[in-house]
Amino acid sequence: MPGADKEADLTERIEAFLADLKRGGCGTGPIRGSGETARETTALLRKVTAQARWSSAGDLMEIIRKEGRRMTAAQPSETTVGNMVLRVLKIIREEYARSRGSSEETDQQESLHKLLTSGGLSDENFRQHYVHLKANVIEAINELLTELEGTTDNIAMQALEHIHSNEVIMTVGRSRTVEAFLKDAARKRKFHVIVAECAPFCQGHEMATNLSKASIETTVIADAAIFAVMSRVNKVIIGTQTVLANGGLRAVNGTHTVALAARHHSTPLIVCAPMFKLSPQFPNEEDTFHKFVSPHEVLPFTEGEILSKVNVHCPVFDYVPPELITLFISNIGGNAPSYIYRLMSELYHPEDHDL
Amino acid sequence: MGLVASRGGKQKKGNVTSEQEEEEQPLQAVLVADSFNRRFFPISKDQPRALLPLGNVAMIDYTLEFLTSTGVQETFVFCCWMSNKIKDHLLKSKWCRPTSPNVVHIITSDLYRSLGDVLRDVDAKNLVRNDFILVYGDVVSNIDVSQALQEHRHRRKVDKNISVMTMVFKESSPGHKSRCEEDDVIVAMDSKSKRVLHYQKTQGLKKLQFPMNIFQHGSDEFEIRHDLLDCHISICSPQVAELFTDNFDYQTRNDFVRGILVNEEILGNQIHLYVTQDGYGARVSNLQMYDSVSSDMVRRWVYPLTPEANFTDQQGQGCTHSRHNVYRGAEVSLGHGSQMEENVLIGRDTSIGANCHISNSVIGNNCTIGDNVVLDRAHMWNNVHISSNVEIHQSVVCDGAVVKEAVRLNKQCVLAYNVVIGPNLSLPEGTVVSMHHPEEEEEDDDDEFLSDDQEVGHSKDKTRQKAFNPAEVGPEGKGYIWKASMNDTEDEELAQCLWGLVLNPDPESDSESEASEESQDRSRSVSPEIDDVNAFQLEVLGTLQRGLEENIVCDNLVLEINSLKYAYNITLKEVMQILTRVVLEYPFQQQGTQLTTLQYTGSLLPLLKTWSPVFKNYIKRAQDHLDCLSAVEELFLEQDTHQTAMVKVLMKMYQLEILEEEAILKWFSTGATNDKSRQLRKNQGLQKFIQWLKEAEDESSEEGE
């Protein structure tokens, strides 16, 4: 039976993806960039849409939700996976609404009156069958994929608006987006970059190497020197792992230090974050917020006796509150932290926020 | 040594492998889900070791996850003890789902008695086609062995299959808490090629010996390392299985490694090692290791194999991780005022009462814990009931055990399955309580004990005169103490078996005991030497006697004495002294000590003549002459009644050209060290002899002119 075959193949791919996620990130951050994770997730969801058995949008959403729950549970710290699941769910809703004939706009605007009168959950049950729904959804997901492909470029394109000649720019750790951003600016402008090494993983070293290869004047500093150096810095440009619903960040360890130092010296702090990093999560959901990896990098296992006497922790992320951030640069332009809620409601459907 | 040349077998299979080698082979692994020892004994009587929970997950799951994450696609699980339970467990687990990337084959047999049997079976069934990973079912690791695998394959390609095995070691300095003394090894290796030259377990050894030939292999750099933790992960080539078949006396990997190293010249096989600095790998070989691996796991050293990752993918096993490494499963309830200090893992549906202090502990699923309980380094498995006011320190409490009010478990206690303890009792350090009677035969099956909670079980026990002792396990207790009924030596053994050697040894007492042992060693090492010398003396006497009786040629006597010299490890100097002594004492030996000086010389001088070739063989250098003379002097100092005979002996030896005049003169002038020997030199005969010698020398020198 080809159908059963396909399904087996599908589950196998999902399992492989889950296993990858679980093992992903042995200390030095994820093996692949979050952009890649986002693309892979979306591609996998497209496959699910194409190959799973479903007759109505409701069924499909149920399937996607189920898989989405498993994927997010596999690596809770990798929020892009969950974000992509939400995006796909939103796409299905939109396509269903379009097939039904009601325009997106009316659906989108939820007035207070409408909320009050709707009564319980949404009155739609997504049970109606539409022939073209599948094709439409897949097409919309393809569009999403193209959008994802272009995010880094879109962000990098805005670099010249923010980086001026002879500026001193500080960044922390390694972010693929920031790297592209700086390299793009370096094509036209000359500036100096100071990279905080971001111990214990020291991804900053890699970042500095890459930047200097692109003939950008680069200095690596220890994390302890961040505050001292900050007075000379014109602008801080950082990447992030997740943008939280309140406009705060979950970013690599040391970012909070940088942000506070920048605030003290009134240095603008710019965050390069593609839209797929926007997560409906709030920072108070502490269970999955932190990620602790093997303390090996902090105190090597070879140390011996001291290990039984001390507790060693190696957290990966910092929380940066929104008031420390000046500007977000995403693939659709620059936004203030206070505007994040609006973007969030555009990207995701409120009913999907918890899978 | 059952060393049979294995060329035939190798060639036969060699053809098959070489054909297939070109195409990419799936990576295979052999997982031995049996320890073949009784380290965990009262516990493993009810549950095979591979299924014992570590951080609420069966140990074998860690091993399988490790294998899968390194890219193993086919695993053969070999089980023996309680194979059904392991099989059930695996069939239910995610490894046997159709989507599993790692296909698990379960092979059971009651006939396996060692690792050797397993690998012989691997060979017999022709299971492995290419390099495979060999692990035990109790290895916990997150090491990425792909690098080691690559090196292994590269070596095999370059060196034409000479390297048969690559062992994976982790760097960790001595004294590390995750190092188990039983598994301590010392490894000599070639630093460039990473080849193992010498491999020795150091447990209980105070002295280590390295064969010289390992340093003569022509490489310019060697390392002798004691900072390696054996992860018990080895990458083997298919030849390993064949070698086990060929050498039926190989039981363990240790046998194998030593066998290969010893017979390297003959078979031309080599073993290499791979040392990893990051990554974690350890084998749970006893309870001490269980304790430290479990705490390492909770402290996230084995990331990403952490409790909250739920890598076994089981429903409801997930838990959350919060600060200070506190993990909570679903539906955990914590009473008012209870504290989970740090490094605590609590399974689902467990309820904890008020004012408890819990630190560094693992608590299983469905446990109930009363009020005011103190748990420190406790390992509690599933369905354990702890009443109020209990204190548990560094102990293991197995499934279904019940600890009643106000019980205190001191360090290293073990409560095996379904044991009941208390109330109001304090178990001394290292107590092991089990529902199985220590003297119970293996054949006594578990069945009756499964129903222990029922009255039937009780009455049965009572009729068999095996009632529980309330003094040991408390008024309401159920279970037998495993130490009490045994004598002391076995008792120690058991403690060793379960917990390994002493945990957290007090450094001072340790060094003291070491020192005392060393001094013992020294005294021991002196006494056997004396024994050797005495024995050698007797043997030489016997040899000379036989030589006389059977009229053996002196050359043969020399030969015999030489072989004795090697047998007793005697230096050349000692040989000479002993020989001199034996010869000079020979008349006393034969005819009693009451000989007159005349009789003595009469019987001795012919003997000297007969054995002069023997003497000449040993007395060559100037120092030898002096040594011989001092031996003569020593003897005559003892036998002071016969001192007059000394001149004659010396004279004879001079005439027989055993001794040279220069040596005698030198001895006479310088040899005197104490009064007695000075006295000896004043002997008239001796003075005359010396005088004569001097004159003779003058004459000869004159003649020379």
Side-chain angles (χ1 to χ4, degrees), chain A residues 247-302:
Chain A
L249 300 183
R250 180 166 68 163
V252 71
N253 240 354
T255 313
H256 197 185
T257 323
V258 173
L260 283 171
R263 160 54 51 101
H264 183 86
H265 289 285
S266 300
T267 314
L269 180 85
I270 297 175
V271 180
C272 292
M275 291 303 280
F276 63 77
K277 291 198 174 174
L278 236 63
S279 160
Q281 196 186 17
F282 278 89
N284 49 0
E285 299 162 19
E286 59 167 319
D287 288 343
T288 55
F289 189 78
H290 296 288
K291 178 176 168 188
F292 289 85
V293 296
S294 164
H296 174 82
E297 298 282 343
V298 184
L299 191 67
F301 191 69
T302 44

Side-chain angles (χ1 to χ4, degrees), chain B residues 643-700:
Chain B
Q643 276 186 7
T644 41
M646 184 175 169
V647 186
K648 287 191 175 150
V649 171
L650 289 179
M651 185 70 182
K652 188 77 188 170
M653 286 173 104
Y654 174 69
Q655 283 170 349
L656 290 169
E657 293 175 352
I658 297 170
L659 295 173
E660 285 171 9
E661 56 185 48
E662 280 166 42
I664 296 173
L665 290 174
K666 193 177 176 196
W667 163 77
F668 186 77
S669 54
T670 61
T673 47
N674 53 23
D675 287 349
K676 262 194 171 176
S677 52
R678 240 168 262 143
Q679 196 71 36
L680 185 82
R681 281 175 177 68
K682 281 182 187 144
N683 181 304
Q684 257 195 347
L686 192 61
Q687 295 262 1
K688 262 186 195 167
F689 173 62
I690 297 295
Q691 192 68 35
W692 178 77
L693 272 181
K694 276 180 181 164
E695 279 166 17
E697 195 183 20
D698 288 347
E699 268 171 39
S700 63

